[in-house]
Protein backbone atom coordinates (compact mmCIF):
# COMPACT_ATOMS: atom_id res chain seq x y z
CA UNK A 1 0.00 0.00 0.00
CA UNK A 2 1.30 3.46 -0.85
CA UNK A 3 2.67 5.61 1.94
CA UNK A 4 0.40 8.46 3.11
CA UNK A 5 -2.58 7.87 0.84
CA UNK A 6 -4.46 11.06 0.14
CA UNK A 7 -7.82 11.41 -1.59
CA UNK A 8 -9.48 14.81 -1.31
CA UNK A 9 -12.36 14.36 -3.80
CA UNK A 10 -11.61 16.34 -6.98
CA UNK A 11 -9.90 13.60 -8.97
CA UNK A 12 -10.42 10.14 -7.45
CA UNK A 13 -8.35 7.33 -8.93
CA UNK A 14 -10.14 5.04 -11.37
CA UNK A 15 -11.19 1.91 -9.46
CA UNK A 16 -9.70 -1.41 -10.43
CA UNK A 17 -11.79 -4.55 -10.65
CA UNK A 18 -11.80 -6.04 -7.16
CA UNK A 19 -11.82 -9.80 -6.73
CA UNK A 20 -10.32 -10.73 -3.40
CA UNK A 21 -11.29 -13.10 -0.65
CA UNK A 22 -11.08 -11.62 2.80
CA UNK A 23 -13.19 -10.73 5.78
CA UNK A 24 -13.68 -7.41 7.54
CA UNK A 25 -15.22 -6.59 10.91
CA UNK A 26 -16.73 -3.08 11.12
CA UNK A 27 -16.56 -2.10 14.77
CA UNK A 28 -18.59 1.08 15.02
CA UNK A 29 -18.91 3.14 18.18
CA UNK A 30 -22.70 3.46 17.88
CA UNK A 31 -25.66 1.84 16.18
CA UNK A 32 -27.95 3.40 13.58
CA UNK A 33 -28.66 6.52 15.67
CA UNK A 34 -24.99 7.52 15.64
CA UNK A 35 -24.37 9.70 12.58
CA UNK A 36 -20.63 9.01 12.43
CA UNK A 37 -21.14 5.24 12.71
CA UNK A 38 -23.89 5.25 10.12
CA UNK A 39 -22.08 7.44 7.61
CA UNK A 40 -18.40 6.67 8.04
CA UNK A 41 -18.74 2.87 8.05
CA UNK A 42 -22.21 1.37 7.87
CA UNK A 43 -23.39 3.06 4.68
CA UNK A 44 -20.41 1.54 2.82
CA UNK A 45 -21.21 -2.06 3.78
CA UNK A 46 -23.50 -2.83 0.78
CA UNK A 47 -20.81 -1.55 -1.61
CA UNK A 48 -17.87 -3.28 0.09
CA UNK A 49 -19.72 -6.59 0.41
CA UNK A 50 -19.41 -7.00 -3.38
CA UNK A 51 -15.86 -8.19 -2.79
CA UNK A 52 -15.38 -8.52 0.98
CA UNK A 53 -17.10 -10.61 3.64
CA UNK A 54 -18.31 -8.09 6.24
CA UNK A 55 -19.71 -8.25 9.74
CA UNK A 56 -20.94 -5.12 11.58
CA UNK A 57 -20.80 -4.86 15.39
CA UNK A 58 -21.76 -1.60 17.12
CA UNK A 59 -20.25 -1.20 20.60
CA UNK A 60 -22.77 1.19 22.17
CA UNK A 61 -26.37 0.46 21.18
CA UNK A 62 -29.04 3.06 20.45
CA UNK A 63 -30.24 3.06 24.07
CA UNK A 64 -26.97 4.74 25.01
CA UNK A 65 -27.48 7.62 22.57
CA UNK A 66 -31.12 8.03 23.56
CA UNK A 67 -29.98 8.44 27.15
CA UNK A 68 -27.18 10.82 26.13
CA UNK A 69 -29.43 13.07 24.05
CA UNK A 70 -32.15 12.97 26.69
CA UNK A 71 -29.77 13.92 29.50
CA UNK A 72 -30.42 10.63 31.31
CA UNK A 73 -28.17 8.22 33.20
CA UNK A 74 -25.96 6.28 30.76
CA UNK A 75 -24.10 3.87 33.02
CA UNK A 76 -26.46 0.93 32.43
CA UNK A 77 -26.32 0.90 28.59
CA UNK A 78 -22.55 1.44 28.83
CA UNK A 79 -22.22 -1.51 31.20
CA UNK A 80 -24.23 -3.70 28.83
CA UNK A 81 -21.77 -2.78 26.06
CA UNK A 82 -18.84 -4.04 28.12
CA UNK A 83 -20.67 -7.28 28.89
CA UNK A 84 -20.57 -7.94 25.13
CA UNK A 85 -16.77 -7.63 24.92
CA UNK A 86 -16.25 -11.40 24.92
CA UNK A 87 -18.42 -11.64 21.82
CA UNK A 88 -16.44 -8.80 20.24
CA UNK A 89 -13.18 -10.62 20.88
CA UNK A 90 -14.54 -13.77 19.24
CA UNK A 91 -15.72 -11.74 16.24
CA UNK A 92 -12.31 -10.09 15.83
CA UNK A 93 -10.60 -13.47 15.73
CA UNK A 94 -12.92 -14.61 12.92
CA UNK A 95 -11.82 -11.82 10.55
CA UNK A 96 -8.75 -10.86 8.59
CA UNK A 97 -9.08 -7.12 9.15
CA UNK A 98 -10.72 -4.87 11.73
CA UNK A 99 -12.17 -1.42 10.92
CA UNK A 100 -12.49 0.66 14.10
CA UNK A 101 -14.49 3.84 14.40
CA UNK A 102 -12.51 6.03 16.82
CA UNK A 103 -11.77 3.35 19.46
CA UNK A 104 -12.80 -0.17 20.40
CA UNK A 105 -13.16 0.27 24.18
CA UNK A 106 -14.18 3.78 25.25
CA UNK A 107 -12.63 5.03 28.50
CA UNK A 108 -10.03 2.25 28.61
CA UNK A 109 -6.31 2.64 27.72
CA UNK A 110 -4.88 1.55 24.41
CA UNK A 111 -3.19 -1.51 25.95
CA UNK A 112 -6.62 -3.01 26.64
CA UNK A 113 -7.59 -2.56 23.00
CA UNK A 114 -4.37 -4.10 21.72
CA UNK A 115 -4.93 -7.15 23.95
CA UNK A 116 -8.49 -7.45 22.65
CA UNK A 117 -7.35 -7.23 19.03
CA UNK A 118 -4.52 -9.71 19.40
CA UNK A 119 -2.58 -9.70 16.16
CA UNK A 120 -5.45 -8.72 13.87
CA UNK A 121 -4.49 -5.83 11.56
CA UNK A 122 -6.78 -2.83 11.95
CA UNK A 123 -7.96 0.40 10.37
CA UNK A 124 -8.64 3.47 12.51
CA UNK A 125 -11.36 5.88 11.30
CA UNK A 126 -11.89 9.45 12.61
CA UNK A 127 -14.37 12.16 11.64
CA UNK A 128 -13.79 14.42 14.67
CA UNK A 129 -10.83 15.55 16.75
CA UNK A 130 -11.64 12.66 19.08
CA UNK A 131 -8.24 12.62 20.77
CA UNK A 132 -9.11 15.93 22.46
CA UNK A 133 -11.80 14.24 24.55
CA UNK A 134 -9.05 12.62 26.57
CA UNK A 135 -6.06 14.89 25.96
CA UNK A 136 -8.00 18.03 27.01
CA UNK A 137 -10.00 16.42 29.80
CA UNK A 138 -10.27 18.50 32.99
CA UNK A 139 -9.32 15.33 34.89
CA UNK A 140 -5.60 14.88 35.44
CA UNK A 141 -6.15 11.13 35.83
CA UNK A 142 -7.92 10.88 32.46
CA UNK A 143 -5.17 12.89 30.76
CA UNK A 144 -2.49 10.68 32.28
CA UNK A 145 -4.19 7.37 31.47
CA UNK A 146 -5.77 8.18 28.10
CA UNK A 147 -4.23 11.40 26.79
CA UNK A 148 -2.00 9.59 24.28
CA UNK A 149 -4.35 6.69 23.54
CA UNK A 150 -5.14 7.68 19.96
CA UNK A 151 -1.53 8.36 19.07
CA UNK A 152 -0.65 4.81 20.13
CA UNK A 153 -3.60 3.36 18.23
CA UNK A 154 -2.94 5.17 14.96
CA UNK A 155 0.77 4.29 15.04
CA UNK A 156 -0.20 0.62 15.18
CA UNK A 157 -2.88 0.82 12.50
CA UNK A 158 -2.41 -0.56 9.01
CA UNK A 159 -4.43 2.40 7.70
CA UNK A 160 -5.88 5.57 9.22
CA UNK A 161 -8.96 7.05 7.52
CA UNK A 162 -9.81 10.67 8.31
CA UNK A 163 -12.63 12.98 7.22
CA UNK A 164 -10.83 16.28 6.69
CA UNK A 165 -7.56 18.16 6.33
CA UNK A 166 -7.26 19.01 10.04
CA UNK A 167 -7.39 15.35 11.02
CA UNK A 168 -5.09 14.40 8.14
CA UNK A 169 -2.38 16.78 9.38
CA UNK A 170 -2.85 15.62 12.97
CA UNK A 171 -2.54 11.94 12.03
CA UNK A 172 0.51 12.63 9.89
CA UNK A 173 2.22 14.59 12.67
CA UNK A 174 1.46 11.82 15.19
CA UNK A 175 3.15 9.18 13.04
CA UNK A 176 0.39 7.36 11.14
CA UNK A 177 1.91 5.04 8.53
CA UNK A 178 -0.81 5.27 5.85
CA UNK A 179 -3.58 7.87 5.75
CA UNK A 180 -6.63 8.04 3.52
CA UNK A 181 -8.52 11.34 3.51
CA UNK A 182 -12.11 10.34 2.82
CA UNK A 183 -14.81 12.96 3.48
CA UNK A 184 -18.13 12.07 5.07
CA UNK A 185 -20.55 11.88 2.15
CA UNK A 186 -24.22 11.50 1.24
CA UNK A 187 -26.05 8.78 -0.62
CA UNK A 188 -27.67 10.94 -3.32
CA UNK A 189 -30.41 8.37 -3.84
CA UNK A 190 -31.79 9.55 -0.52
CA UNK A 191 -31.78 13.21 -1.59
CA UNK A 192 -34.25 13.62 -4.46
CA UNK A 193 -34.46 17.14 -5.86
CA UNK A 194 -37.53 18.90 -4.52
CA UNK A 195 -38.70 22.45 -5.28
CA UNK A 196 -38.16 25.31 -2.86
CA UNK A 197 -41.02 25.63 -0.37
CA UNK A 198 -43.69 28.30 -0.29
CA UNK A 199 -44.23 30.44 2.77
CA UNK A 200 -41.80 32.50 4.85
CA UNK A 201 -38.06 32.40 4.37
CA UNK A 202 -37.02 29.24 6.24
CA UNK A 203 -33.52 28.63 7.53
CA UNK A 204 -32.62 25.02 8.29
CA UNK A 205 -30.22 23.48 10.77
CA UNK A 206 -29.66 19.76 11.41
CA UNK A 207 -27.77 18.24 14.30
CA UNK A 208 -28.25 16.79 17.80
CA UNK A 209 -29.35 18.20 21.16
CA UNK A 210 -25.65 18.40 22.09
CA UNK A 211 -24.70 20.65 19.16
CA UNK A 212 -27.80 22.87 19.07
CA UNK A 213 -26.02 25.31 21.39
CA UNK A 214 -23.98 26.48 18.38
CA UNK A 215 -27.16 28.16 17.12
CA UNK A 216 -27.12 30.58 20.04
CA UNK A 217 -24.24 32.45 18.39
CA UNK A 218 -26.68 33.55 15.66
CA UNK A 219 -29.32 34.90 18.05
CA UNK A 220 -28.76 38.57 17.16
CA UNK A 221 -28.76 38.28 13.33
CA UNK A 222 -31.72 35.88 13.38
CA UNK A 223 -33.73 38.22 15.61
CA UNK A 224 -32.90 41.12 13.32
CA UNK A 225 -34.08 39.19 10.27
CA UNK A 226 -37.24 38.08 12.08
CA UNK A 227 -38.00 41.72 12.92
CA UNK A 228 -37.66 42.71 9.25
CA UNK A 229 -39.86 40.07 7.59
CA UNK A 230 -41.50 36.69 8.25
CA UNK A 231 -38.83 34.13 9.13
CA UNK A 232 -38.73 30.56 10.40
CA UNK A 233 -35.86 28.57 11.85
CA UNK A 234 -36.39 24.84 11.25
CA UNK A 235 -34.31 22.84 13.74
CA UNK A 236 -33.92 19.14 12.91
CA UNK A 237 -32.68 16.77 15.59
CA UNK A 238 -32.89 18.96 18.70
CA UNK A 239 -36.49 18.76 19.96
CA UNK A 240 -37.46 21.57 22.27
CA UNK A 241 -34.88 24.08 21.03
CA UNK A 242 -36.13 27.67 21.28
CA UNK A 243 -34.69 31.07 20.40
CA UNK A 244 -36.66 34.00 21.85
CA UNK A 245 -37.62 36.51 19.18
CA UNK A 246 -37.49 33.93 16.37
CA UNK A 247 -40.17 31.50 15.21
CA UNK A 248 -38.62 28.06 15.70
CA UNK A 249 -40.05 24.80 14.43
CA UNK A 250 -38.27 21.92 16.14
CA UNK A 251 -38.53 18.49 14.53
CA UNK A 252 -37.13 15.15 15.71
CA UNK A 253 -34.55 13.53 13.46
CA UNK A 254 -34.98 10.23 11.70
CA UNK A 255 -33.06 8.79 8.79
CA UNK A 256 -36.31 8.47 6.87
CA UNK A 257 -37.35 12.11 7.20
CA UNK A 258 -34.13 14.14 7.23
CA UNK A 259 -33.96 14.93 3.51
CA UNK A 260 -37.66 15.84 3.33
CA UNK A 261 -37.21 18.21 6.25
CA UNK A 262 -34.17 19.85 4.68
CA UNK A 263 -36.25 20.32 1.51
CA UNK A 264 -38.63 22.49 3.54
CA UNK A 265 -35.83 25.04 3.98
CA UNK A 266 -34.61 27.77 1.64
CA UNK A 267 -31.04 27.69 3.03
CA UNK A 268 -29.04 25.71 5.56
CA UNK A 269 -26.65 26.98 8.21
CA UNK A 270 -23.67 25.69 10.18
CA UNK A 271 -22.35 28.13 12.77
CA UNK A 272 -19.22 27.02 14.65
CA UNK A 273 -16.78 28.59 17.10
CA UNK A 274 -13.14 28.76 16.01
CA UNK A 275 -12.02 26.13 18.52
CA UNK A 276 -9.65 23.20 18.23
CA UNK A 277 -12.56 20.76 18.49
CA UNK A 278 -14.70 22.58 15.90
CA UNK A 279 -11.78 22.71 13.47
CA UNK A 280 -11.81 18.91 13.45
CA UNK A 281 -15.48 18.60 12.48
CA UNK A 282 -16.33 17.16 9.07
CA UNK A 283 -19.02 19.62 7.89
CA UNK A 284 -21.49 16.89 6.99
CA UNK A 285 -24.62 19.01 7.49
CA UNK A 286 -23.33 21.39 4.80
CA UNK A 287 -23.10 18.47 2.39
CA UNK A 288 -26.66 17.50 3.24
CA UNK A 289 -27.92 21.00 2.42
CA UNK A 290 -25.96 20.99 -0.82
CA UNK A 291 -27.31 17.57 -1.79
CA UNK A 292 -30.84 19.00 -1.47
CA UNK A 293 -29.82 21.92 -3.72
CA UNK A 294 -29.99 24.44 -0.89
CA UNK A 295 -27.31 27.12 -0.44
CA UNK A 296 -25.28 26.69 2.73
CA UNK A 297 -23.94 29.37 5.04
CA UNK A 298 -21.17 28.40 7.44
CA UNK A 299 -18.55 29.75 9.78
CA UNK A 300 -15.12 29.70 8.08
CA UNK A 301 -13.83 26.98 10.40
CA UNK A 302 -12.01 23.78 9.47
CA UNK A 303 -13.58 21.66 6.71
CA UNK A 304 -16.26 24.29 6.09
CA UNK A 305 -13.68 26.31 4.16
CA UNK A 306 -13.20 23.45 1.70
CA UNK A 307 -16.83 22.37 1.39
CA UNK A 308 -18.44 25.76 0.72
CA UNK A 309 -17.40 27.73 -2.35
CA UNK A 310 -18.28 31.14 -0.94
CA UNK A 311 -20.28 33.19 -3.41
CA UNK A 312 -20.99 30.12 -5.58
CA UNK A 313 -22.61 27.36 -3.49
CA UNK A 314 -23.32 29.51 -0.45
CA UNK A 315 -21.44 31.84 1.87
CA UNK A 316 -18.81 31.78 4.58
CA UNK A 317 -19.68 34.19 7.39
CA UNK A 318 -17.03 35.16 9.94
CA UNK A 319 -19.07 37.46 12.17
CA UNK A 320 -22.62 38.49 13.04
CA UNK A 321 -22.72 41.21 10.37
CA UNK A 322 -21.67 38.79 7.62
CA UNK A 323 -24.30 36.29 8.77
CA UNK A 324 -26.95 39.00 8.67
CA UNK A 325 -25.95 40.28 5.24
CA UNK A 326 -25.67 36.84 3.65
CA UNK A 327 -28.92 35.53 5.05
CA UNK A 328 -30.64 38.74 4.00
CA UNK A 329 -29.27 38.38 0.46
CA UNK A 330 -30.68 34.86 0.21
CA UNK A 331 -33.98 35.89 1.73
CA UNK A 332 -34.44 38.72 -0.75
CA UNK A 333 -33.43 36.88 -3.93
CA UNK A 334 -35.11 33.61 -4.96
CA UNK A 335 -32.96 33.68 -8.10
CA UNK A 336 -29.77 33.77 -6.04
CA UNK A 337 -31.03 30.87 -3.92
CA UNK A 338 -31.87 28.84 -7.02
CA UNK A 339 -28.53 29.55 -8.69
CA UNK A 340 -26.48 28.73 -5.59
CA UNK A 341 -28.60 25.69 -4.83
CA UNK A 342 -28.02 24.23 -8.28
CA UNK A 343 -24.26 24.82 -7.96
CA UNK A 344 -24.32 23.25 -4.50
CA UNK A 345 -26.02 20.12 -5.81
CA UNK A 346 -23.46 19.78 -8.60
CA UNK A 347 -20.63 20.08 -6.07
CA UNK A 348 -22.19 17.41 -3.87
CA UNK A 349 -22.57 15.10 -6.87
CA UNK A 350 -18.96 15.52 -7.98
CA UNK A 351 -17.13 15.54 -4.67
CA UNK A 352 -19.26 14.45 -1.72
CA UNK A 353 -21.38 11.51 -2.86
CA UNK A 354 -21.21 7.82 -2.06
CA UNK A 355 -20.86 7.04 -5.75
CA UNK A 356 -17.53 8.89 -5.77
CA UNK A 357 -15.99 7.64 -2.55
CA UNK A 358 -17.22 4.02 -2.39
CA UNK A 359 -15.04 2.81 -5.31
CA UNK A 360 -11.98 4.47 -3.75
CA UNK A 361 -12.61 2.84 -0.40
CA UNK A 362 -13.29 -0.56 -1.97
CA UNK A 363 -10.04 -0.43 -3.91
CA UNK A 364 -8.09 0.64 -0.83
CA UNK A 365 -9.49 -2.11 1.39
CA UNK A 366 -9.09 -4.87 -1.19
CA UNK A 367 -5.48 -3.82 -1.67
CA UNK A 368 -4.94 -3.89 2.08
CA UNK A 369 -6.57 -7.32 2.41
CA UNK A 370 -4.45 -8.56 -0.46
CA UNK A 371 -1.30 -7.40 1.32
CA UNK A 372 -2.42 -9.12 4.52
CA UNK A 373 -3.09 -12.36 2.66
CA UNK A 374 0.29 -12.19 0.95
CA UNK A 375 2.11 -11.72 4.25
CA UNK A 376 0.24 -14.62 5.82
CA UNK A 377 1.05 -16.84 2.88
CA UNK A 378 4.72 -16.28 3.65
CA UNK A 379 4.15 -17.19 7.32
CA UNK A 380 2.54 -20.66 7.36
CA UNK A 381 1.70 -20.63 11.07
CA UNK A 382 0.34 -17.08 11.21
CA UNK A 383 -3.25 -18.17 11.55
CA UNK A 384 -2.44 -20.63 14.30
CA UNK A 385 -0.62 -17.88 16.18
CA UNK A 386 -3.79 -15.84 16.18
Amino acid sequence: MSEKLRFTCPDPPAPRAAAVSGSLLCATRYGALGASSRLRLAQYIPHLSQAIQIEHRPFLQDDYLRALYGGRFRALPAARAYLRVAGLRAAIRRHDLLWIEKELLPWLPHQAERILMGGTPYILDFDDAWALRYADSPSRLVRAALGHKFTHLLRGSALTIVANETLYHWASAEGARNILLLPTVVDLARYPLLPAPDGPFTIGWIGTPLTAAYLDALAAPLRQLAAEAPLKLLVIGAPGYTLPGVEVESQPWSEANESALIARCHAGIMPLPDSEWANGKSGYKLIQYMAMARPAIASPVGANNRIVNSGETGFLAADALAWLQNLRALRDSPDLRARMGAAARRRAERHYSLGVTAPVLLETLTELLGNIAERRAKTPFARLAR
Side-chain angles (χ1 to χ4, degrees):
M1 178 171 293
S2 61
E3 197 75 10
K4 303 290 186 184
L5 293 168
R6 183 181 175 87
F7 164 56
T8 57
C9 296
D11 297 300
R16 296 194 300 263
V20 65
S21 60
S23 61
L24 172 69
L25 177 64
C26 293
T28 57
R29 184 177 180 88
Y30 304 116
L33 281 183
S36 59
S37 302
R38 189 175 66 254
L39 300 167
R40 295 296 300 171
L41 283 78
Q43 77 166 335
Y44 284 103
I45 290 175
H47 302 269
L48 299 178
S49 61
Q50 301 170 31
I52 302 170
Q53 301 172 37
I54 297 182
E55 180 181 349
H56 178 204
R57 288 185 68 96
F59 186 76
L60 296 163
Q61 303 292 330
D62 288 344
D63 57 350
Y64 178 89
L65 279 182
R66 291 190 184 100
L68 176 64
Y69 293 157
R72 300 191 303 275
F73 194 56
R74 307 190 300 275
L76 186 57
R80 285 196 291 263
Y82 280 93
L83 290 175
R84 295 188 291 269
V85 166
L88 175 60
R89 175 176 171 78
I92 292 171
R93 294 174 68 85
R94 290 196 301 268
H95 293 83
D96 301 308
L97 179 63
L98 175 63
W99 187 6
I100 303 170
E101 182 202 355
K102 300 181 176 77
E103 56 186 328
L104 267 182
L105 300 174
W107 314 295
L108 291 183
H110 76 278
Q111 294 93 334
E113 300 204 0
R114 296 307 297 268
I115 292 171
L116 182 66
M117 288 185 281
T120 303
Y122 65 93
I123 300 164
L124 204 58
D125 194 299
F126 290 96
D127 70 334
D128 277 318
W130 206 256
L132 297 178
R133 289 181 176 259
Y134 297 143
D136 287 358
S137 171
S139 167
R140 182 180 300 176
L141 179 61
V142 170
R143 294 196 304 270
L146 302 173
H148 298 288
K149 174 178 182 176
F150 293 105
T151 295
H152 289 296
L153 287 176
L154 73 86
R155 287 178 180 174
S157 67
L159 174 67
T160 300
I161 305 178
V162 297
N164 56 59
E165 295 276 353
T166 299
L167 301 178
Y168 181 93
H169 293 308
W170 171 78
S172 181
E174 293 296 315
R177 288 181 294 168
N178 296 296
I179 312 171
L180 175 66
L181 198 168
L182 201 74
T184 307
V185 300
V186 294
D187 180 356
L188 286 173
R190 297 185 57 251
Y191 290 79
L193 289 174
L194 297 173
D198 296 326
F201 182 59
T202 300
I203 300 167
W205 178 90
I206 186 168
T208 72
L210 302 181
T211 55
Y214 292 140
L215 287 169
D216 295 344
L218 299 186
L222 290 174
R223 287 186 185 122
Q224 176 62 39
L225 289 168
E228 296 173 0
L231 175 78
K232 180 187 288 185
L233 175 64
L234 177 55
V235 174
I236 307 164
Y241 179 83
T242 60
L243 187 61
V246 178
E247 180 187 351
V248 176
E249 179 184 348
S250 183
Q251 291 283 346
W253 173 89
S254 77
E255 189 173 12
N257 73 6
E258 61 180 349
S259 61
L261 287 171
I262 293 171
R264 291 175 49 194
C265 305
H266 295 96
I269 57 174
M270 186 176 178
L272 283 178
D274 191 6
S275 65
E276 193 174 4
W277 172 260
N279 270 276
K281 295 187 74 64
S282 64
Y284 178 69
K285 56 175 57 68
L286 298 177
I287 295 166
Q288 290 183 281
Y289 306 147
M290 292 163 57
M292 285 305 302
R294 302 298 187 258
I297 306 180
S299 302
V301 173
N304 293 2
N305 291 293
R306 174 177 289 276
I307 295 169
V308 177
N309 279 348
S310 195
E312 180 182 345
T313 64
F315 295 106
L316 294 170
D319 53 37
L321 179 59
W323 277 98
L324 177 63
Q325 292 174 337
N326 292 327
L327 284 168
R328 187 183 283 146
L330 290 173
R331 178 198 65 189
D332 295 342
S333 177
D335 288 343
L336 178 63
R337 296 198 302 264
R339 185 168 66 251
M340 284 189 161
R345 171 71 181 204
R346 290 193 297 271
R347 183 162 175 76
E349 290 172 346
R350 293 171 182 170
H351 306 302
Y352 298 104
S353 69
L354 193 61
V356 172
T357 56
V360 175
L361 183 60
L362 178 59
E363 180 181 16
T364 302
L365 297 188
T366 52
E367 180 183 349
L368 181 55
L369 280 165
N371 290 344
I372 292 169
E374 184 177 347
R375 286 196 297 271
R376 286 183 179 158
K378 295 176 181 177
T379 311
F381 298 103
R383 289 188 177 274
L384 293 176
R386 291 177 59 211

